[in-house]
Amino acid sequence: MSALEAAREVDGETVVVRRSARRRKTVSAFREDGCTVVSIPSRFSRAEEEHWVRRMLARLAASEGRRCPDADALTARAQELAARYLDERAAPTTVTWVSNQGSRWGSCTPASGTIRISDRVQGMPGWVLDYVLLHELAHLIEPGHDENFWALVKRYPQTERARGFLLGVIHADQG
């Protein structure tokens, strides 16, 4: 840690504040090695630092909440997608995150209406999560991957973009 960095605990979270003489107005934050790094201009007072650290922690938490919703939010999102793109024909009973899917992004059991989404999708853009959810929702209507199934999935306007994103992730993982 340099002289312009200081680590401390804020609400049970380790925060490293990096002061930069080159930074004039902007403040940024990101997660790194289990802590949060907040970069601020070196001229900021301690009060300004405190304000921005708390603001950036809240901003990161909100962003992560959108990308990694809990099971209730995941189920609600699936229900919204079913209503918007599938005429409410798909009604999942549960939608959960799972950690045991190494080669699938999601899976579905049409008989019970359960959908499982791989935790590898957590942190991906929301439109990718929506695609994976919609893909599994479509299986509640059409179990296979036939023409009827793909017609349902392609109602989602980001289908091709999301499929390309996931193919890129697979390629990067294999490299």
Side-chain angles (χ1 to χ4, degrees), residues 68-113:
C68 305
D70 63 17
D72 291 337
L74 199 59
T75 300
R77 185 66 186 150
Q79 290 166 341
E80 289 172 26
L81 291 165
R84 180 180 291 166
Y85 299 108
L86 302 174
D87 307 318
E88 297 183 356
R89 291 175 34 204
T93 54
T94 60
V95 184
T96 57
W97 294 108
V98 295
S99 60
N100 63 350
Q101 292 185 0
S103 61
R104 295 179 182 201
W105 299 114
S107 62
C108 171
T109 305
S112 64

Side-chain angles (χ1 to χ4, degrees), residues 77 81 84-85 126-132 134 151-160 162:
R77 185 66 186 150
L81 291 165
R84 180 180 291 166
Y85 299 108
W127 47 271
V128 175
L129 171 60
D130 286 354
Y131 163 75
V132 173
L134 194 75
L152 292 170
V153 172
K154 288 183 179 179
R155 291 180 179 184
Y156 179 60
Q158 302 284 347
T159 292
E160 291 307 315

Side-chain angles (χ1 to χ4, degrees), residues 42-171:
S42 59
R43 65 173 175 73
F44 273 15
S45 68
R46 293 288 175 213
E48 288 173 309
E49 175 184 316
E50 182 64 26
H51 165 79
W52 280 103
V53 163
R54 292 198 177 277
R55 184 171 177 180
M56 297 310 281
L57 285 173
R59 201 178 275 180
L60 280 173
S63 174
E64 290 165 350
R66 284 190 302 272
R67 282 189 258 137
C68 305
D70 63 17
D72 291 337
L74 199 59
T75 300
R77 185 66 186 150
Q79 290 166 341
E80 289 172 26
L81 291 165
R84 180 180 291 166
Y85 299 108
L86 302 174
D87 307 318
E88 297 183 356
R89 291 175 34 204
T93 54
T94 60
V95 184
T96 57
W97 294 108
V98 295
S99 60
N100 63 350
Q101 292 185 0
S103 61
R104 295 179 182 201
W105 299 114
S107 62
C108 171
T109 305
S112 64
T114 59
I115 292 174
R116 293 158 305 279
I117 304 297
S118 171
D119 61 1
R120 296 181 307 136
V121 178
Q122 290 179 334
M124 289 184 184
W127 47 271
V128 175
L129 171 60
D130 286 354
Y131 163 75
V132 173
L133 284 167
L134 194 75
H135 182 108
E136 299 309 327
L137 287 164
H139 280 305
L140 295 177
I141 302 166
E142 293 286 337
H145 286 101
D146 62 11
E147 270 184 39
N148 294 332
F149 170 82
W150 286 111
L152 292 170
V153 172
K154 288 183 179 179
R155 291 180 179 184
Y156 179 60
Q158 302 284 347
T159 292
E160 291 307 315
R161 183 178 181 206
R163 291 186 73 196
F165 182 97
L166 294 170
L167 286 170
V169 170
I170 291 167
H171 179 74

